[in-house]
């Protein structure tokens, strides 16, 4: 909670309190630094890795099969587009294309 994140143990994922979005472990530091820069929060990488290991946090977005697309408390449902090469998610298709061209 000191980083503005909660753990949803059912989904085995971090949830950003402000964005109400699932944040995968590899994006936690950049998410906090870029999206919540004004909060001036420093995420300790070693502590983060320890929490991920102890809580068995998924390294990818949780898979929620279509018939079970239910709402989860604290998570805002959003529709988007995923990168076919990495776990990044985007709101617009053109952002996926720009992202893929940059990697």
């Amino acid at each position: 909670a000191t980083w503005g994140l909660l753990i949803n143990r059912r989904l085995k994922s971090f949830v950003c309190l402000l964005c109400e979005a699932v944040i995968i472990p590899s994006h936690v530091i950049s998410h906090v630094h870029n999206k919540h820069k004004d909060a001036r929060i420093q995420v300790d990488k070693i502590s983060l890795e320890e929490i991920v290991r102890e809580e068995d946090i998924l390294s990818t977005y949780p898979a929620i099969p279509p018939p079970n697309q239910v709402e989860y408390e604290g998570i805002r449902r959003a529709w988007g587009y995923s990168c076919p090469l990495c776990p990044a998610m985007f709101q617009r298709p053109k952002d996926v294309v720009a992202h893929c061209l940059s990697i």
Side-chain angles (χ1 to χ4, degrees):
T2 58
W3 299 332
L5 303 172
L6 291 179
I7 295 172
N8 182 308
R9 288 195 169 102
R10 187 169 177 198
L11 295 176
K12 296 185 176 184
S13 301
F14 289 116
V15 176
C16 176
L17 290 168
L18 294 172
C19 298
E20 298 179 325
V22 170
I23 309 299
I24 60 174
S26 61
H27 292 173
V28 166
I29 294 173
S30 62
H31 176 84
V32 170
H33 178 74
N34 295 327
K35 300 286 184 186
H36 310 296
K37 188 182 294 190
D38 293 342
R40 294 189 173 112
I41 297 171
Q42 295 295 319
V43 177
D44 178 47
K45 187 175 180 179
I46 294 170
S47 296
L48 175 65
E49 290 170 355
E50 187 176 313
I51 292 167
V52 168
R53 189 173 46 258
E54 287 178 7
E55 295 289 339
D56 195 27
I57 302 294
L58 298 174
S59 61
T60 60
Y61 290 100
I64 303 171
N68 298 321
Q69 290 186 356
V70 298
E71 299 290 329
Y72 289 90
E73 187 174 352
I75 300 175
R76 179 177 40 88
R77 177 179 270 188
W79 301 103
Y81 303 90
S82 64
C83 173
L85 307 172
C86 75
M89 298 286 291
F90 301 91
Q91 291 181 342
R92 300 176 302 198
K94 70 178 187 176
D95 295 335
V96 176
V97 173
H99 165 76
C100 289
L101 291 173
S102 71
I103 56 175

